[in-house]
Amino acid sequence: MAARGPVVIVIPGDDPPQIQGSPQLDRLRRYGEVRLHTERPRGLPEQLARARDAVCLVNTRGAVKWPGEALRALPRLRMATVCGIGTDAFDLPTARELGITICNIPGKTAPIVAEHAFGLMLAAAKRAHFQTAELKAGRWTRIDNVYLHGKTLGLVGTGNIGTAMGRLGHAIGMEVLAWTFHPTPERQAALGLRFVDLDELCRRADVVSLHVKLTPESRRLIGARQLALMKPGAILVNTARGAVVDTDALVAALHSGHLGGAALDVFDPEPLPPGHPLLDCAQVVLTPHSADQTPEGTELLNAGVVDNVVAFLEGQPQNVVS
């Protein structure tokens, strides 16, 4: 449905910077007025004030959330796009009810995110953060590293990022197992992976790497039970969403010594607040939801959100999630 009046395209809170300064914005300006806000809104009233005239919304940061009450307060809004894969910042059922098209950017940065997940795995296995902290404190500490060749990598989710992570695991000689919500023999054959159930994956994997989108079904998919099933000394890698893991259970498993480490790019909540229990865990490697934040990844995402808006305004929506 076309909106009446001028097309206003709102970027409600580009903080940390994502699209500000990008030449991709010039492409958007050909289609309407672009209102770019470089600071995160301070509360829902300010957020709604920024977006009240929006026909299209470019949500470059997942920390800016759009619950049903917010979407209902934007009568001109016809389309919104996230700057990545996950659409959990939006109330999708309400968007469908209101006829608001929600788009994402699948696959563009999958190799970049997978490389980051692979690097996190290596850093945790080689105790990079722990030993750096020990050396800075003047201590020369003896602790075993994990040799990954010949070990088992368990992929939870086999989308573009998960399958790219699987290829990297194979490249260093790891056996790769996988779990997905909807396994089929055809997909197993196409990916060259062996699907197992989640319990078996947790029991057998030396590294469990998470690559599922956040949905009601995947929220806290990895909880105390799954962590207890994992091998003593196993490593958990999460570049999906923080809420896929029960954080309290993860902290307990790390403090008990049952897990050998965790490598996390995502948290629940974000940003990770000062004094969070994860910060007291020794064998963790943490990055601030930055897996796709390379110059190449940033421009791929910026081009992707602009492509989504342009396609919608030209009457050919793409990458539609809802």
Side-chain angles (χ1 to χ4, degrees):
M1 175 169 46
R4 295 179 181 177
V7 172
V8 176
I9 303 163
V10 175
I11 303 160
D14 194 45
D15 176 29
Q18 168 68 38
I19 202 170
Q20 54 190 277
S22 170
Q24 300 294 337
L25 287 174
D26 292 335
R27 296 171 52 210
L28 276 186
R29 293 186 178 104
R30 300 171 199 165
Y31 289 85
E33 179 188 352
V34 176
R35 298 181 186 174
L36 168 65
H37 298 272
T38 58
E39 295 181 356
R40 199 170 298 178
R42 292 166 294 185
L44 188 58
E46 183 177 16
Q47 182 175 323
L48 293 176
R50 292 178 180 184
R52 66 175 180 268
D53 297 326
V55 174
C56 297
L57 196 65
V58 177
N59 211 56
T60 57
R61 290 301 173 200
V64 182
K65 306 293 185 184
W66 298 95
E69 61 179 306
L71 296 176
R72 293 184 192 282
L74 303 175
R76 298 195 71 224
L77 186 63
R78 302 270 49 86
M79 178 267 185
T81 178
V82 297
C83 194
I85 301 171
T87 54
D88 48 287
F90 285 88
D91 182 333
L92 296 183
T94 299
R96 280 191 289 271
E97 175 192 334
L98 299 174
I100 300 169
T101 298
I102 307 293
C103 303
N104 70 350
I105 310 172
K108 279 186 178 288
T109 59
I112 296 170
V113 177
E115 182 180 286
H116 191 88
F118 187 73
L120 286 175
M121 176 180 72
L122 287 171
K126 307 310 175 186
R127 316 299 185 192
H129 169 72
F130 173 78
Q131 294 292 22
T132 297
E134 289 293 282
L135 288 168
K136 286 183 175 181
R139 294 187 292 268
W140 192 273
T141 303
R142 172 71 167 84
I143 184 174
D144 285 341
N145 297 328
V146 177
Y147 180 47
L148 293 170
H149 178 88
K151 298 297 196 300
T152 299
L153 171 62
L155 303 173
V156 178
T158 56
N160 293 311
I161 298 170
T163 54
M165 180 67 167
R167 288 192 293 271
L168 292 172
H170 277 139
I172 62 168
M174 299 185 80
E175 179 187 359
V176 181
L177 301 176
W179 174 89
T180 182
F181 279 108
H182 304 292
T184 65
E186 294 78 16
R187 183 151 178 77
Q188 178 172 269
L191 297 177
L193 302 171
R194 190 158 75 81
F195 285 131
V196 296
D197 66 38
L198 186 57
D199 283 1
E200 182 179 351
L201 184 144
C202 290
R203 283 193 294 264
R204 293 184 55 186
D206 299 282
V207 178
V208 174
S209 190
L210 307 181
H211 304 282
V212 290
K213 63 183 179 180
L214 181 60
T215 65
E217 293 73 28
S218 68
R219 185 175 293 275
R220 296 196 173 186
L221 181 67
I222 304 299
R225 179 178 176 278
Q226 290 74 29
L227 293 169
L229 287 173
M230 290 170 62
K231 294 179 179 181
I235 293 169
L236 180 72
V237 179
N238 189 8
T239 55
R241 284 292 187 270
V244 173
V245 178
D246 181 331
T247 302
D248 291 341
L250 174 59
V251 169
L254 288 165
H255 279 316
S256 73
H258 175 66
L259 287 189
L264 311 173
D265 184 55
V266 289
F267 307 94
D268 182 22
E270 291 184 2
L272 194 63
H276 192 282
L278 277 170
L279 299 175
D280 290 328
C281 298
Q283 296 301 333
V284 293
V285 179
L286 311 175
T287 55
H289 205 151
S290 59
D292 55 11
Q293 296 303 294
T294 66
E296 300 88 348
T298 297
E299 276 312 287
L300 283 170
L301 294 176
N302 291 340
V305 291
V306 171
D307 288 344
N308 283 350
V309 173
V310 168
F312 176 83
L313 293 175
E314 292 185 345
Q316 297 178 322
Q318 63 178 24
N319 302 320
V320 175
V321 176
S322 174

